[in-house]
Amino acid sequence: MRAASRRSRPWGWAEPQPLVLVAAAAAPAGARAAASASARRCFPGRRYAGERSSRRWRRHQGPQALLRVEIHTNEKEVTEKEVTLHLLPGEQLLCEASTVLKYVQEDSCQHGVYGRLVCTDFKIAFLGDDESALDNDETQFKNKVIGENDITLHCVDQIYGVFDEKKKTLFGQLKKYPEKLIIHCKDLRVFQFCLRYTKEEEVKRIVSGIIHHTQAPKLLKRLFLFSYATAAQNNTVTDPKNHTVMFDTLKDWCWELERTKGNMKYKAVSVNEGYKVCERLPAYFVVPTPLPEENVQRFQGHGIPIWCWSCHNGSALLKMSALPKEQDDGILQIQKSFLDGIYKTIHRPPYEVVKTEDLSSNFLSLQEIQTAYSKFKQLFLIDNSTEFWDTDIKWFSLLESSSWLDIIRRCLKKAIEITECMEAQNMNVLLLEENASDLCCLISSLVQLMMDPHCRTRIGFQSLIQKEWVMGGHCFLDRCNHLRQNDKEEVPVFLLFLDCVWQLVHQHPPAFEFTETYLTVLSDSLYIPIFSTFFFNSPHQKDTNMGREGQDTQSKPLNLLTVWDWSVQFEPKAQTLLKNPLYVEKPKLDKGQRKGMRFKLCLQAQNFSPTESTKERAVMHQRQLSLPLTQSKSSPKRGFFREETDHLIKNLLGKRISKLINSSDELQDNFREFYDSWHSKSTDYHGLLLPHIEGPEIKVWAQRYLRWIPEAQILGGGQVATMSKLLEMMEEVQSLQEKIDERHHSQQAPQAEGPCLLRNSARLSSLFPFALLQRHSSKPVLPTSGWKALGDEDDLAKREDEFVDLGDV
């Protein structure tokens, strides 16, 4: 599955290696000397951090060989490096602990970095002299709000403590405090802190504080969002280039109707101004023109077809929340009559035929999504290298049993089915759901992304999320469990949407103005409580709480930031990584033939084939991130895990993934014809865009899920190397175009600007730009087939550290 899995072992690797906790590596000066001496007394003849360790010694240590180094310190010897704690406006320090050891995973060993562990009302932060940080002269992809060792309180998923080598979940009041603290984050980072050398009272204070402020239920008004907005209301930054449509005014909805040509059959209404009709709906929305506004008030917005988007052929996508379930026969009859009247306004054959998609009963359930993601994320919350290699051999089995990729495929399939109804059959489609705020948001957004090229621009995509998710009433507060009040309500519907979008971006990169890095940082922003975008259940809840807070601050309304102002999080140089340099803009024919020629050159750049070695590693990386369809090559006869490999392939090719292999056979005739017909033609990046949904085409979003695992990185390979080659070729094409223009005395063509960090990709990781924050292992990555040329396993174990030319392998 992964870049450095069984198909690509690092040179010199023989079997899963034990963890060696070398606490003295980054301890204070006096502590390091004491630790080194103590360790040598207990384990004579062994080497430690800063010395070259024997490969043979590391190989023959069993999993139980855990080296503990007791550090004897006193106040005179410990001279910790003081690191300043940077607090945001309104942020307050709650508790802290000194002499905390943070483990830094490197290859098969764990080294420690000493520092302070602090907890504020915004984040958990570790302040230490991190030796893994990059040099100052090397460009970094930094977040200005969240540091590398910062965890927002909302980003904490689970907290574990280690008691006598046993790992236990921590919650509530503790009778005994752990010697080691492990924090699993919702962005899939794993932090491990050793508290063995921390004062007992500080351990109690920091552990209790972290558990309370991350696990205990909260009140909405106690969110850091309000503290920050109150303290920073005069210092808010606005990006003048940000033209995201917020859909909080009637004008915005009228603009969208005009853009999509939907104003002929639909109208924007203000009947819900002040939220006097329904607190679930936005103040303004769009309904069919024949629909009387008094009908909207009848059942508090339930049962009303709300317009989402109109197609070029006149068909439209609508959504409706179901009427309340009643047991009384009289009320049921009233509801039936009401729905019949509503249905007649949008179903008028032969002009407008409506197809209803009941997503509550005929599609996924929220429970399925929650269960699948709970299993799926465990594949990436890796505590150490041993755990990584232990799960590697059964990776495909675990991946399939989670059903997360299958759920993504089903969502894309449903969106394609609706697209076929609108595009090929000119039918209106009405999405039905209990509150029309979960799966309706997901499917309607995917349909628009596939059919409307405007939604594939960055501004268009942000406007789409504002319209369908924020104003559509998606319960971000509950679905992200920001208040920790009900774990059963925590369902990653929006993350599922971003994963589906990533599949489209990955399969059709020139069609999107934004990159996968943009999607990744957007998913991270779900847990940063200085932005209002993802911290309310409805526009009514947001406006109400802003109003109350405004009365407390001299009647001034709070100025809450939106996540779309990316300058708050990233410097301009870092923001270049959010924009796709290979995006194919729509050619303007009236600008002359030169524009059209440049457009063709950009298209040709997409089909550029990188060098064979880079291509081989990139293809290998892709194979490991999806479930295989068939066995492409026979497994090597010789290998470290021949029996396990054979067993794995039997499982993969068995019945357990038959539903993925044969999924295309289940498609309806109309759908199948529409799907195959589109994929048989050349792709128009400014027209309809459909994804491949066969089993192996749905892949794991490697950049998001694997970025914190060093073993999963391909140094100087993967898509980063491919992108770098493409940018080099595009610059060369632009240079030639300039010379041609100069000969014809015409205006010079503007040169394409690629991210400066990609200019030299030799030392970049396949999980760039996030892996750039770590120092990489210098050991190369090899496919399994390369082991035969290097000799037997025993030979590798006996070799000394040396340079090996792998160019011909």
Side-chain angles (χ1 to χ4, degrees):
M1 151 349 198
R2 308 165 222 188
S5 69
R6 292 181 301 103
R7 299 188 186 186
S8 53
R9 300 298 192 191
W11 180 77
W13 188 94
E15 60 183 298
Q17 303 170 4
L19 292 181
V20 182
L21 305 184
V22 187
R32 276 202 301 269
S36 179
S38 174
R40 282 179 169 80
R41 285 195 298 270
C42 298
F43 301 94
R46 295 186 179 176
R47 297 175 183 263
Y48 301 95
E51 302 178 79
R52 294 181 59 186
S53 59
S54 166
R55 292 185 187 276
R56 182 184 305 178
W57 175 82
R58 280 192 288 172
R59 173 176 171 264
H60 289 295
Q61 299 308 303
Q64 304 302 322
L66 193 63
L67 172 60
R68 288 204 193 95
V69 180
E70 295 185 4
I71 299 183
H72 305 283
T73 64
N74 57 53
E75 295 182 0
K76 293 182 180 179
E77 291 178 327
V78 176
T79 56
E80 285 189 9
K81 180 179 179 180
E82 288 295 329
V83 180
T84 305
L85 173 63
H86 298 285
L87 298 177
L88 295 177
E91 185 179 2
Q92 296 180 351
L93 177 64
L94 301 176
C95 54
E96 64 177 312
S98 57
T99 325
V100 175
L101 188 67
K102 174 183 175 288
Y103 292 126
V104 180
Q105 184 171 316
E106 293 183 0
D107 300 327
S108 63
C109 299
Q110 282 192 336
H111 301 271
V113 176
Y114 264 101
R116 283 190 299 152
L117 184 62
V118 303
C119 180
T120 73
D121 55 351
F122 169 63
K123 65 178 180 287
I124 301 166
F126 177 78
L127 309 174
D129 182 18
D130 192 346
E131 296 178 350
S132 68
L134 292 174
D135 298 331
N136 294 329
D137 59 346
E138 191 169 348
T139 309
Q140 300 182 41
F141 183 66
K142 283 186 175 180
N143 191 308
K144 296 192 292 184
V145 179
I146 302 297
E148 181 183 358
N149 292 319
D150 294 346
I151 315 167
T152 64
L153 300 182
H154 298 280
C155 190
V156 175
D157 189 11
Q158 293 289 339
I159 300 177
Y160 301 93
V162 176
F163 303 85
D164 299 325
E165 306 305 324
K166 294 182 179 180
K167 179 178 171 183
K168 298 180 180 179
T169 306
L170 301 183
F171 55 87
Q173 294 288 338
L174 299 181
K175 296 181 180 180
K176 183 180 178 182
Y177 290 87
E179 59 187 31
K180 184 177 179 181
L181 192 66
I182 301 176
I183 301 178
H184 286 186
C185 304
K186 293 182 179 179
D187 62 2
L188 305 179
R189 289 181 295 170
V190 176
F191 287 85
Q192 301 185 55
F193 302 102
C194 178
L195 306 174
R196 190 177 297 121
Y197 316 111
T198 309
K199 294 180 181 179
E200 184 178 355
E201 59 270 20
E202 291 186 355
V203 171
K204 293 180 179 179
R205 193 158 50 242
I206 193 68
V207 173
S208 299
I210 289 176
I211 293 175
H212 174 74
H213 293 290
T214 59
Q215 307 293 322
K218 303 178 182 64
L219 296 175
L220 176 61
K221 297 295 290 187
R222 299 300 299 271
L223 288 179
F224 179 73
L225 175 73
F226 297 102
S227 301
Y228 178 82
T230 303
Q233 57 182 339
N234 296 325
N235 301 321
T236 52
V237 181
T238 55
D239 186 0
K241 297 181 180 179
N242 180 20
H243 302 296
T244 302
V245 183
M246 304 302 289
F247 291 98
D248 53 358
T249 65
L250 195 65
K251 181 180 179 181
D252 290 346
W253 288 99
C254 293
W255 175 86
E256 181 72 356
L257 279 172
E258 184 177 354
R259 185 186 73 83
T260 60
K261 312 301 180 186
N263 48 5
M264 302 298 294
K265 302 176 183 178
Y266 300 91
K267 61 181 179 181
V269 296
S270 58
V271 65
N272 197 37
E273 270 187 328
Y275 307 100
K276 54 190 176 184
V277 173
C278 178
E279 296 180 355
R280 177 183 50 84
L281 293 174
Y284 311 99
F285 51 91
V286 175
V287 295
T289 301
L291 185 70
E293 291 190 9
E294 55 267 20
N295 280 1
V296 178
Q297 309 176 30
R298 193 165 179 184
F299 288 99
Q300 296 185 329
H302 286 274
I304 298 298
I306 297 177
W307 176 86
C308 297
W309 181 77
S310 288
C311 183
H312 60 87
N313 59 16
S315 61
L317 181 65
L318 304 105
K319 62 183 177 182
M320 176 192 291
S321 57
L323 289 173
K325 296 181 179 179
E326 296 288 347
Q327 302 297 327
D328 185 84
D329 291 340
I331 298 180
L332 286 173
Q333 188 61 39
I334 294 174
Q335 289 183 353
K336 185 177 182 302
S337 300
F338 174 76
L339 289 177
D340 287 343
I342 293 293
Y343 189 67
K344 289 178 181 178
T345 64
I346 55 176
H347 183 75
R348 294 174 292 181
Y351 306 106
E352 294 183 37
V353 180
V354 175
K355 178 183 178 182
T356 302
E357 283 283 350
D358 189 349
L359 300 179
S360 295
S361 60
N362 300 328
F363 193 46
L364 288 168
S365 67
L366 296 181
Q367 180 63 41
E368 285 182 84
I369 298 174
Q370 184 187 56
T371 302
Y373 187 70
S374 296
K375 294 180 180 179
F376 179 72
K377 70 181 180 181
Q378 296 305 318
L379 298 174
F380 311 100
L381 292 168
I382 304 297
D383 288 352
N384 50 61
S385 297
T386 301
E387 185 177 341
F388 175 90
W389 294 114
D390 286 345
T391 59
D392 184 62
I393 196 64
K394 50 186 177 181
W395 168 260
F396 285 124
S397 177
L398 295 172
L399 177 61
E400 183 213 343
S401 63
S402 72
S403 300
W404 182 251
L405 295 186
D406 186 48
I407 285 177
I408 293 173
R409 183 188 64 82
R410 290 168 65 184
C411 291
L412 293 172
K413 177 177 177 289
K414 178 62 68 175
I416 296 174
E417 289 176 355
I418 294 171
T419 299
E420 188 269 335
C421 291
M422 298 178 66
E423 177 77 17
Q425 301 184 37
N426 286 26
M427 297 174 64
N428 291 339
V429 178
L430 178 63
L431 303 177
L432 182 63
E433 193 184 9
E434 183 178 355
N435 287 315
S437 59
D438 286 304
L439 298 176
C440 276
C441 299
L442 170 64
I443 299 301
S444 62
S445 299
L446 288 177
V447 170
Q448 293 175 62
L449 204 66
M450 293 179 188
M451 301 188 71
D452 191 347
H454 172 71
C455 296
R456 286 168 243 162
T457 65
R458 194 165 86 177
I459 295 300
F461 184 70
Q462 294 174 173
S463 301
L464 173 67
I465 293 176
Q466 277 292 138
K467 180 180 68 171
E468 295 298 329
W469 294 85
V470 179
M471 291 299 162
H474 181 66
C475 301
F476 283 106
L477 199 64
D478 293 340
R479 294 293 176 252
C480 297
N481 201 15
H482 288 316
L483 299 182
R484 291 284 182 175
Q485 293 181 350
N486 191 346
D487 292 344
K488 294 182 180 179
E489 291 291 324
E490 184 175 359
V491 185
V493 183
F494 186 70
L495 181 57
L496 174 60
F497 165 67
L498 294 182
D499 212 328
C500 292
V501 175
W502 180 85
Q503 305 294 330
L504 281 161
V505 172
H506 178 74
Q507 294 182 22
H508 306 288
F512 292 87
E513 189 183 21
F514 50 88
T515 62
E516 68 168 342
T517 302
Y518 169 87
L519 295 175
T520 303
V521 296
L522 181 59
S523 70
D524 292 342
S525 301
L526 281 170
Y527 314 111
I528 303 179
I530 67 171
F531 306 110
S532 62
T533 310
F534 304 129
F535 276 83
F536 293 101
N537 282 337
S538 65
H540 167 262
Q541 187 183 55
K542 176 184 175 182
D543 291 348
T544 301
N545 285 279
M546 284 177 62
R548 290 175 183 170
E549 192 73 13
Q551 295 175 5
D552 297 335
T553 55
Q554 301 177 355
S555 301
K556 285 185 178 181
L558 284 180
N559 188 8
L560 301 180
L561 295 176
T562 68
V563 74
W564 312 128
D565 191 354
W566 293 105
S567 61
V568 175
Q569 295 192 64
F570 301 104
E571 298 291 349
K573 184 176 291 186
Q575 288 186 55
T576 60
L577 295 172
L578 308 182
K579 186 175 181 180
N580 181 13
L582 303 181
Y583 172 62
V584 179
E585 296 186 20
K586 191 172 184 178
K588 299 178 181 179
L589 300 178
D590 56 337
K591 293 292 183 179
Q593 192 174 5
R594 182 170 55 85
K595 284 274 187 178
M597 185 174 185
R598 286 171 55 204
F599 171 66
K600 292 179 180 179
L601 290 173
C602 289
L603 281 177
Q604 293 171 1
Q606 314 310 317
N607 299 322
F608 171 77
S609 178
T611 60
E612 193 61 30
S613 60
T614 302
K615 184 177 180 181
E616 179 183 351
R617 285 190 289 178
V619 170
M620 175 196 67
H621 191 51
Q622 291 176 356
R623 287 178 185 169
Q624 295 164 343
L625 296 178
S626 63
L627 291 175
L629 183 62
T630 58
Q631 185 180 3
S632 57
K633 292 183 179 180
S634 59
S635 58
K637 295 181 180 180
R638 297 177 62 191
F640 299 131
F641 301 101
R642 185 184 63 184
E643 296 179 359
E644 290 85 348
T645 303
D646 294 340
H647 179 69
L648 174 65
I649 294 176
K650 289 178 182 178
N651 286 336
L652 289 174
L653 300 180
K655 296 180 179 179
R656 294 191 296 119
I657 61 168
S658 59
K659 60 178 180 291
L660 287 177
I661 296 176
N662 301 321
S663 60
S664 58
D665 297 335
E666 303 171 3
L667 306 179
Q668 299 177 357
D669 293 340
N670 291 341
F671 173 87
R672 184 70 191 179
E673 182 181 355
F674 175 75
Y675 179 82
D676 290 341
S677 175
W678 187 89
H679 283 290
S680 65
K681 302 174 183 176
S682 58
T683 305
D684 177 10
Y685 295 123
H686 298 282
L688 182 65
L689 197 71
L690 300 183
H692 292 278
I693 59 173
E694 289 79 11
E697 298 296 338
I698 305 300
K699 303 181 183 298
V700 173
W701 183 1
Q703 189 191 67
R704 183 183 193 277
Y705 298 122
L706 291 167
R707 54 188 161 152
W708 313 121
I709 304 178
E711 292 83 358
Q713 300 171 17
I714 304 177
L715 193 61
Q719 292 187 347
V720 178
T722 305
M723 178 74 76
S724 178
K725 291 293 184 181
L726 287 170
L727 289 175
E728 290 176 9
M729 180 179 181
M730 289 184 68
E731 289 182 357
E732 185 177 352
V733 170
Q734 292 288 354
S735 176
L736 292 174
Q737 183 66 54
E738 287 180 2
K739 293 180 180 180
I740 294 175
D741 292 341
E742 289 176 0
R743 287 191 176 186
H744 291 83
H745 303 285
S746 61
Q747 187 178 3
Q748 291 188 3
Q751 190 165 355
E753 286 290 335
C756 57
L757 295 179
L758 286 175
R759 299 303 172 88
N760 183 15
S761 64
R763 297 295 297 173
L764 296 183
S765 163
S766 58
L767 304 180
F768 170 86
F770 301 97
L772 188 65
L773 295 177
Q774 307 173 22
R775 287 204 181 277
H776 306 293
S777 167
S778 60
K779 292 185 292 188
V781 175
L782 287 179
T784 307
S785 58
W787 285 107
K788 186 175 181 180
L790 291 178
D792 294 333
E793 174 186 356
D794 292 334
D795 294 335
L796 287 174
K798 295 175 183 177
R799 290 191 185 185
E800 293 295 328
D801 293 340
E802 59 183 358
F803 174 79
V804 179
D805 187 3
L806 302 176
D808 297 327
V809 176

